[in-house]
Amino acid sequence: MHLSMLYRGRLSSCNYDCGYCPFAKTYDTRAALRRDAEDLARFVEWAGQQPMPLSILFTPWGEGLVRRHYRDALVRLSQLPRLRRVAIQTNLCVGMRWLDQADLNKLALWCTYHPSQVSRAAFVARCRELSRRGVRHSVGMVAMHEHLDEIEALSQELPAATPLWLNAYDERPPGYYDDAQIARLQAIDPHFRYNLEPSPSLGAPCLTGENVVSVDGDGNVRRCHFVAEPLGNLYDGSFAARLRPRACPNARCDCYIGYAHRKDLPFQRDYAGGVLERVPSFVLSSAPGPAPAPLKAAP
C-alpha cells in the first residue's frame, strides 16, 4: 500500500501580508511554535517507522520554511528509504543552503509568487537557483485582475521546466473573468477551468480516505482537509481499518489539494509522479536534474 498524507499542523504565522489572505502577517506565540515543532517531530518519527511507502505534502496555513523545524523535517523525511515524495507549500522566501542535505530525488517545492510582497526578478532568481540545483518545483499565482500582465510576464521568465499553475481569485464577484481573460489564463495553465468552475463533487469517486489522508498536529486523521468526519488517529493506528474507496460527500470541491485526487478528473493521469507538488507529468519527463521517484497513477 502507498499512502499520501497532507499534513497541516498548528503553524498559522506568515511573513507575508497579502491582502486576500486571512493569515497575512499573523504571529504564533513561542509556546505555539514549540508545540508545532514537537508535533512535527512526532510525525516525522512515525513516518520513519512505517513499512509502507509514503508521500507527504505539508500544507501549513502560514509559511513553514522560515521555521527550522520544517526545513529539518523535509531533509530527514527525504532521506527515508520508503518515502517516495515530500513537498511543502511555500512562498520561497528563504535561502537554499538547507537543500544541500536533502535527497533531491524525493523532495519537491510547491511555490507561490505574490507580486505585492516580492519583486518578480528576485522570485525568478530563486526559481532559477532551484532549477540549477535540480530541485523539482512548481510555481503558482492567484489570478487577480491586477496581476494578469504579471502572470504572463512571469510565464516568460521562469525556467523552461518550471510549470506555472493558476488559482482563481476566491473573493471574485459573478462574472469576474470575461472570456478573453479566461483564454489568456488557460493559455498558461490548461487546467485553470477546473479551479475556476469546479465540477459537482457529490458522489464522485475520490482517492481521499482510500490511499490519501489529511493529518493534523494531534495525529487526527481525516480523509481530506475539506471533510470533517474523523477516520481515527495516526499514532494509535485506528485510522487504518477505515481506509477504503469512498465517494465525495461535498457538493463542490474547489481546491486543487482536494479535487486532484478525484478519480474522474484528469489529474492523477496528467500529474502522474507530481500530483502533490502540482507538477505535470510532461514536465517531469523532460526536466533536467534528479530523476523523479516513480509514483503510480490512480486506475
Side-chain angles (χ1 to χ4, degrees), residues 6-281:
L6 310 180
Y7 180 94
R8 178 174 287 162
R10 302 171 195 276
L11 184 77
S12 64
S13 54
C14 187
N15 58 318
Y16 277 8
D17 191 17
C18 302
Y20 52 80
C21 180
F23 300 96
K25 288 291 186 182
T26 59
Y27 298 91
D28 287 307
T29 65
R30 289 185 179 181
L33 290 172
R34 182 167 58 250
R35 178 64 185 276
D36 186 60
E38 291 169 354
D39 291 344
L40 182 56
R42 186 186 186 193
F43 175 73
V44 171
E45 186 67 24
W46 176 88
Q49 296 172 358
Q50 301 312 301
M52 74 186 85
L54 298 174
S55 294
I56 298 165
L57 171 65
F58 291 103
T59 63
W61 288 123
E63 174 54 44
L65 289 187
V66 297
R67 305 298 175 186
R68 181 172 179 176
H69 56 279
Y70 278 92
R71 300 194 301 271
D72 289 347
L74 287 162
V75 169
R76 184 177 174 191
L77 287 167
S78 76
Q79 296 168 346
L80 297 179
R82 291 185 178 85
L83 186 119
R84 292 186 177 183
R85 184 84 74 252
V86 61
I88 190 170
Q89 297 175 330
T90 176
N91 61 29
L92 200 60
C93 63
V94 300
M96 307 285 181
R97 285 184 294 179
W98 66 278
L99 291 165
D100 294 341
Q101 307 303 315
D103 182 346
L104 299 184
N105 287 301
K106 299 179 180 181
L107 184 141
L109 299 178
W110 161 318
C111 309
T112 307
Y113 171 50
H114 303 280
S116 65
Q117 307 298 304
V118 63
S119 72
R120 187 194 328 144
F123 185 86
V124 169
R126 293 169 190 166
C127 293
R128 288 174 178 165
E129 176 62 12
L130 290 178
S131 292
R132 186 191 70 79
R133 288 172 172 266
V135 180
R136 186 164 48 255
H137 62 286
S138 68
V139 166
M141 287 183 66
V142 176
M144 301 178 71
H145 278 173
E146 56 264 42
H147 295 156
L148 295 185
D149 290 343
E150 189 67 19
I151 288 169
E152 291 179 333
L154 180 66
S155 71
Q156 295 299 314
E157 295 184 22
L158 284 172
T162 300
L164 178 57
W165 50 263
L166 301 170
N167 281 349
Y169 176 42
D170 279 345
E171 303 301 321
R172 65 189 182 275
Y176 182 75
Y177 301 103
D178 62 31
D179 290 343
Q181 290 168 334
I182 293 173
R184 288 175 66 185
L185 296 169
Q186 278 195 286
I188 292 169
D189 178 3
H191 294 89
F192 174 66
R193 273 197 183 271
Y194 288 98
N195 193 268
L196 174 64
E197 302 169 347
S199 59
S201 292
L202 185 62
C206 187
L207 291 168
T208 62
E210 180 181 354
N211 61 16
V212 180
V213 296
S214 168
V215 183
D216 68 18
D218 292 322
N220 297 313
V221 178
R222 296 173 175 82
R223 58 177 301 179
C224 77
H225 289 333
F226 314 108
V227 178
E229 179 188 2
L231 298 181
N233 191 272
L234 194 69
Y235 302 119
D236 64 13
S238 57
F239 78 99
R242 299 195 63 191
L243 296 178
R244 58 176 173 80
R246 297 169 185 266
C248 182
N250 295 337
R252 191 179 74 155
C253 182
D254 60 3
C255 182
Y256 173 88
I257 58 176
Y259 62 67
H261 303 292
R262 279 178 50 176
K263 299 179 183 181
D264 60 333
L265 296 183
F267 294 92
Q268 294 292 312
R269 179 196 68 218
D270 293 356
Y271 287 72
V275 171
L276 292 187
E277 61 269 31
R278 210 166 177 174
V279 174
S281 53

